[in-house]
Structure formats: structure tokens, C-alpha cells
Amino acid sequence: MKRRTLIGGLLAAPSIPMLASAQDGAWPARPIRLLVGWPPGGSVDILARILQPRLQAVLGQPVVVENRPGATGSVGAAEAARSPADGYTWLIAVDSHAIIPSILQLPYDTRRDFAPVTLIGRGPLVVTSHPSTPWRSFPELVAMAREQRPGSINYATAGIGTMMHVAMVQLCNVAGIQLTHVPYRGGAPALQDALAGHVPLFVTNAPVGGPHVRSGALKGFGVTTRAPWRDLPGVPSFHELGFQGYEAPTWWGVFAPAGVPVQIRRRMEAELARLLAEPETRSRVEAQGMDVLATSGDSFAAFVESEMDRWARVVRENKIRVEG
């Protein structure tokens, strides 16, 4: 597959000088927090720790990655939403940020309380199976699932309301099968059980699952991008497998609490775009299974709005909810 790396037009923009904040003087003047609503070892945490040292260098202040896992990323998002809008707290989030508002009652309003800064990148989800399972491909799994009692085959994800969850619900609808969802509190703990064979199927993103598919520790059944993924040779897309039009890529982005001065948001947007254009940083991000995008804040805001509408329909039509 031809590599497509798109870097936003911000790279051609003139340098944005350090701008004054009414409360804090020249920004940044003290340490900055990068909030991650997921446990260490997952894709969001990996991305944050790739960006952290370079952001620290260009901004001239310590940048601290802070993990606040729980409730499909919403614990970390809630911490970001209630933080002062002064440019010293930023949220690195994954696609579930636009999905979970349709499932949970949250202590914040995703549209009102956040300002999208940049869409860092997109990539595939991959449906995997433990080598001990009897099926060798997704079509074989579909055939067996149709013969067995509906819901008798389990699949694990990083949690309720993740892209892995809703994308798999949509894929099951297209395939005409029923599987049982087993949610975990993040991709890393789900991965451990998948590798141990405690769950037969594991739906994850390329940063988490890719290395284990390539090593043979997990079987790769298909990716959710329209075409096969460059770093998972031999793993077809579900579109190729006959599920015409099915596509559900995962994505990662940076948000600020609403009210952060636009000048500071634009500075962060521009710095992230420059960092993601650096060959070394870009190659490290791409190695995690992402296509780098580095879009503008306005473009990202429109994208998030469309994602919230799209997945709200899937949640509503499939009555997805938190049990208990």
C-alpha cells in the first residue's frame, strides 16, 4: 500500500511568537500536563510519550504525561474539562472521546467543554484471534458463529464505547452474526488476556496488536481501513473480504479545555505540526500504526462533530449501554 503522510498547511504558516496570557504572562511559564485517560502501555499513552520530550524541548518547560484511566477515557477527559483554561493542561484522546457521550452520562459536555487542537493521525483497527482457536480466517469465524448459539463467542476490547467496540458491533451487523463483548479497562490489560488465550477474539488498534500479529502470537483476521495496512502484510481489509463499504479507522487527537486563549491553542497546533513533520518523530508515530495528519483545529473540530453524529446513530440503533 502506498504510504500516505499528510501534513497540515500549518507548516507553511509564519512562526507564531510566544503570546501573553492575561493570568500567566508569557506562555508557557511553568510545567505543562498532557492528560491521558488510559493506562500505561496503550496507544494513547505510547503517542503521548513519543511527543512529550520533543514538546518539552520546543516549549522550554517540563511536559508531564499524566495517566488518569477509567470509564473509556472519560476520567481523564473530566480532569481536563475542569482544569483551568490557561494552556497548562492538554488532553491526548482517541476516537472514543467522540463516542462515549452517546453511552455514558458524563460530568462534562464534549462539544461545549473542549476545543479541538489537531487530529494527529488515523490508522486501522485489527480483529485478531488466539492461535488456539479453530477458525483460520474471519469468514470461517462467521460460518461458525452462524451455526452456534448467538453470542457464544466472545471478543475483547479496551472498553465499552471504544471504537473497537462500536466498530465490531457494526461489523457483526454487516456479517449477520452475534458475538459477546468483553470490555476491559484499556488496551494493555485486554492484550494480556488475548495473548494468554483467555479470550478467543481481540479487537484493537495497530500500535497495540500489530507487533503480536507480525510475531504470530495472534492471528490477524482483518483491518478496518478500506485497504490493507502497510505494516500488517497478509491481513486483508474487511472491504476486501466482501463486506463492501465497511470502514472504521481509529484516530488520535489533542484537545484543550474550552476557553484556552486561541493564540495559545494555535501555538500548540503549530508546534505539534512541526514536530510531526520531523522525520524522526514522524517515523516513530508511523511505526505505531498511524498515518500522520496534523490537521488544523478547525478541520479537526468538523471531523469530531461528524464522528459524534455517526457513532451516536450506531449506539442508538444497537442499544449500546453500560450494563448494571
Side-chain angles (χ1 to χ4, degrees):
M1 174 182 174
K2 184 179 179 181
R3 178 171 297 188
R4 295 179 300 161
T5 302
L6 308 175
I7 303 297
L10 284 169
L11 300 180
S15 177
I16 299 175
M18 283 194 176
L19 295 159
S21 164
Q23 294 180 333
D24 300 298
W27 182 89
R30 52 189 172 84
I32 291 168
R33 292 195 301 169
L34 288 182
L35 286 173
V36 173
W38 300 90
S43 66
V44 187
D45 180 71
I46 291 169
L47 179 60
R49 294 180 192 280
I50 290 173
L51 296 176
Q52 180 267 340
R54 292 298 299 126
L55 273 176
Q56 187 166 275
V58 299
L59 295 176
Q61 291 290 340
V63 175
V64 179
V65 176
E66 208 173 290
N67 295 85
R68 295 290 185 96
T72 315
S74 63
V75 170
E79 172 66 14
R82 62 175 169 257
S83 298
D86 55 10
Y88 291 95
T89 298
W90 306 82
L91 176 70
I92 297 188
V94 71
D95 38 58
S96 58
H97 187 71
I99 300 169
I100 202 65
S102 299
I103 299 174
L104 294 179
Q105 287 191 334
L106 301 171
Y108 57 84
D109 184 299
T110 303
R111 290 183 170 93
R112 183 192 64 213
D113 295 335
F114 291 95
V117 176
T118 187
L119 175 61
I120 292 175
R122 283 189 300 226
L125 299 177
V126 57
V127 177
T128 71
S129 179
H130 190 265
S132 64
T133 56
W135 43 78
R136 293 170 298 175
S137 66
F138 192 72
E140 285 190 11
L141 166 65
V142 169
M144 186 173 292
R146 287 173 177 167
E147 294 173 357
Q148 295 184 359
R149 177 172 53 85
S152 61
I153 299 173
N154 297 337
Y155 68 94
T157 75
I160 294 172
T162 57
M163 181 67 79
M164 301 87 168
H165 177 203
V166 296
M168 193 63 174
V169 168
Q170 194 174 50
L171 180 59
C172 287
N173 289 341
V174 174
I177 59 175
Q178 293 182 40
L179 305 179
T180 296
H181 180 220
V182 181
Y184 284 73
R185 295 188 65 187
L191 171 65
Q192 296 309 308
D193 272 7
L195 291 172
H198 298 320
V199 285
L201 294 170
F202 176 40
V203 188
T204 187
N205 50 45
V208 172
H212 304 286
V213 171
R214 290 190 291 272
S215 74
L218 294 172
K219 294 184 287 189
F221 279 172
V223 294
T224 62
T225 42
R226 172 123 354 181
W229 192 247
R230 59 177 183 262
D231 294 328
L232 291 172
V235 180
S237 71
F238 290 105
H239 180 78
E240 285 184 313
L241 288 173
F243 303 102
Q244 298 297 316
Y246 177 81
E247 186 175 14
T250 187
W251 55 265
W252 298 261
V254 175
F255 295 81
V260 170
V262 65
Q263 300 95 328
I264 293 177
R265 297 203 313 266
R266 287 176 179 168
R267 169 93 189 276
M268 179 62 88
E269 177 186 323
E271 296 294 2
L272 286 167
R274 291 188 187 97
L275 295 183
L276 291 165
E278 294 174 352
E280 181 178 352
T281 303
R282 186 175 67 246
S283 66
R284 290 187 65 194
V285 172
E286 289 178 339
Q288 298 304 317
M290 307 178 196
D291 267 346
V292 174
L293 298 171
T295 65
S296 70
D298 289 343
S299 175
F300 187 29
F303 174 76
V304 170
E305 188 70 26
S306 68
E307 286 287 278
M308 291 184 72
D309 290 344
R310 174 190 178 184
W311 295 112
R313 287 193 297 273
V314 173
V315 168
R316 183 173 60 252
E317 289 168 0
N318 291 278
K319 299 181 174 58
I320 297 173
R321 61 189 182 277
V322 176
E323 301 291 346

